[in-house]
Amino acid sequence: MSGDLSLNINIKEPRWDQGTFMGRAKHFFTVTDPRNVLLSSETLEDARVTVENYRLGVVKPGLTEDQLWRAKYIYDSAFHPDTGEKMLLIGRMSAQVPMNMTITGCMLTFYRTTPAVVFWQWVNQSFNAVVNYTNRSGDAPITVNQLGAAYVSATTGAVVTALGLKSLTSDTFYMTNELLCYLYLLPIGCLQHLPAIIGRFVPFAAVAAANCINIPFMRQGELKYGIPVTDEEGNRLGESASAARQAIVQVVVSRIGMAVPAMAIPPVIMNSLEKKAFMKRFPMLNAPVQVGLVGFCLVFATPLCCALFPQKSSMKVSSLELELQESIRKSSPNTTTVYFNKG
């Protein structure tokens, strides 16, 4: 039974052209809309039923095209594109701005003491672990041991990087100079004491380093078993580790790019504001102002950096593993390009 709405609308793909940066940006501004976090379970379930019924050719009476697209984006914001499972709330893309603005704002505010650095890097990597697991590509399984290894490795990398760089801007620099040189295999005494403002950028360096560790570790199952690759029509052709490597690199670049405005612009502004009389009179404003600045940056940086690469990425069949190439040539000889969800 069908309603008045056409059944020819392709809701398997985003509403806007994903071959252009602007089309992808419009798509991700919708996907990362923080308001989707507040949607009730009933609303999410209604969107799921609407989308899945439409795919089966069943249209709710009175459903308009705009309502269909709204349901599609609500569905995409809460359900994994490959497994169809409802994603953890804080791991959804719509939770990125509110979660990151809070955590990043606190990292940038409380960077002066070692316990604060360790605590907020731990909180950040715990959140990143949830996000990376929730948004993993494909349906490759990941064990508790793999999750633990990724979490511990990323947290350790972030904390070591943060503390190492923090020491370069602290009064204890000269006490740790030789140890740092030894750890990083540099000539003794080569490190120089850095200006204090550089300390504000320590969280960004730590986050960038952790992303390079956390994401590959969290998605190591994809590197081992591969991720699903399909033809242009969405027919599954096999699993490819080469596609997984490309997907992970793209995600790492996007995540680091996402952190640049939020962790580079507010420190410069705050360094100037903290010299103002009103900030000296009301130091309690430091944290909320910093969180607000980070949030403003993230509202734009999150969707724009997600849009750097197509969600449905592609690569030439000739770049895949030899066995998979042979399999595709036999089963789909006219296919020269395969597609995969980058995660």
Side-chain angles (χ1 to χ4, degrees):
M1 170 177 144
S2 64
D4 296 328
L5 187 64
S6 169
L7 293 174
N8 296 324
I9 301 172
N10 183 15
I11 61 171
K12 290 183 179 179
E13 302 295 335
R15 189 172 192 176
W16 297 278
D17 180 12
Q18 297 301 284
T20 67
F21 176 76
M22 286 306 299
R24 295 195 295 272
K26 290 178 181 178
H27 167 71
F28 280 108
F29 267 108
T30 305
V31 169
T32 62
D33 186 343
R35 293 173 297 180
N36 287 342
V37 173
L38 303 176
L39 296 176
S40 66
S41 297
E42 291 76 15
T43 301
L44 296 178
E45 182 61 21
D46 182 64
R48 185 187 68 79
V49 171
T50 298
V51 169
E52 292 183 353
N53 282 349
Y54 184 83
R55 289 172 178 171
L56 296 173
V58 179
V59 181
K60 182 168 59 177
L63 184 70
T64 67
E65 183 173 350
D66 284 341
Q67 290 173 335
L68 174 64
W69 281 112
R70 173 60 178 159
K72 181 253 191 313
Y73 274 102
I74 290 177
Y75 175 82
D76 287 350
S77 74
F79 297 89
H80 194 280
D82 291 325
T83 65
E85 297 174 352
K86 183 184 287 188
M87 296 184 286
L88 295 170
L89 180 63
I90 65 171
R92 299 173 192 171
M93 291 306 296
S94 53
Q96 290 295 292
V97 171
M99 291 297 298
N100 272 322
M101 68 180 284
T102 303
I103 296 172
T104 302
C106 288
M107 281 196 295
L108 294 176
T109 301
F110 308 109
Y111 69 93
R112 290 184 173 89
T113 67
T114 297
V117 169
V118 172
F119 176 75
W120 285 108
Q121 288 297 333
W122 169 73
V123 170
N124 187 51
Q125 291 314 312
S126 297
F127 171 64
N128 283 343
V130 173
V131 172
N132 293 332
Y133 174 75
T134 303
N135 293 279
R136 65 197 185 282
S137 177
D139 45 19
I142 183 167
T143 67
V144 174
N145 288 339
Q146 291 171 332
L147 281 172
Y151 175 69
V152 171
S153 299
T155 303
T156 302
V159 170
V160 168
T161 301
L163 294 181
L165 292 176
K166 180 178 178 297
S167 70
L168 297 180
T169 62
S170 69
D171 293 334
T172 59
F173 166 75
Y174 296 105
M175 297 174 59
T176 58
N177 188 5
E178 291 189 10
L179 176 59
L180 285 168
C181 288
Y182 175 77
L183 290 175
Y184 290 98
L185 303 178
L186 298 173
I188 297 298
C190 72
L191 299 176
Q192 301 297 315
H193 198 288
L194 300 176
I197 190 176
I198 300 300
R200 292 182 178 272
F201 295 94
V202 167
F204 169 69
V207 167
N211 273 322
C212 293
I213 299 170
N214 194 332
I215 296 172
F217 261 93
M218 190 61 65
R219 297 174 59 172
Q220 61 186 290
E222 300 172 28
L223 294 172
K224 182 177 181 180
Y225 301 108
I227 58 176
V229 294
T230 68
D231 60 18
E232 195 169 5
E233 285 71 40
N235 300 309
R236 189 162 176 164
L237 301 173
E239 291 75 37
S240 170
S242 297
R245 285 193 292 272
Q246 180 172 310
I248 290 170
V249 168
Q250 291 177 350
V251 172
V252 169
V253 171
S254 294
R255 292 285 179 82
I256 293 176
M258 200 182 298
V260 171
M263 303 190 81
I265 297 175
V268 175
I269 297 176
M270 290 304 298
N271 195 59
S272 175
L273 286 179
E274 286 180 358
K275 298 174 184 177
K276 305 295 183 181
F278 75 93
M279 287 295 285
K280 291 180 179 179
R281 287 182 58 192
F282 304 102
M284 72 287 295
L285 291 177
N286 192 304
V289 170
Q290 188 122 241
V291 169
L293 287 171
V294 170
F296 178 79
C297 292
L298 285 174
V299 165
F300 298 96
T302 299
L304 292 178
C305 287
C306 284
L308 290 175
F309 305 100
Q311 186 67 38
K312 185 179 179 181
S313 290
S314 63
M315 64 190 305
K316 296 294 184 183
V317 171
S318 57
S319 299
L320 300 172
E321 297 86 340
L322 292 177
E323 290 184 5
L324 184 55
Q325 289 184 40
E326 290 299 322
S327 174
I328 292 174
R329 289 193 185 103
K330 292 178 181 177
S331 62
S332 183
N334 296 325
T335 299
T336 58
T337 302
V338 295
Y339 301 86
F340 55 90
N341 173 28
K342 72 177 175 65

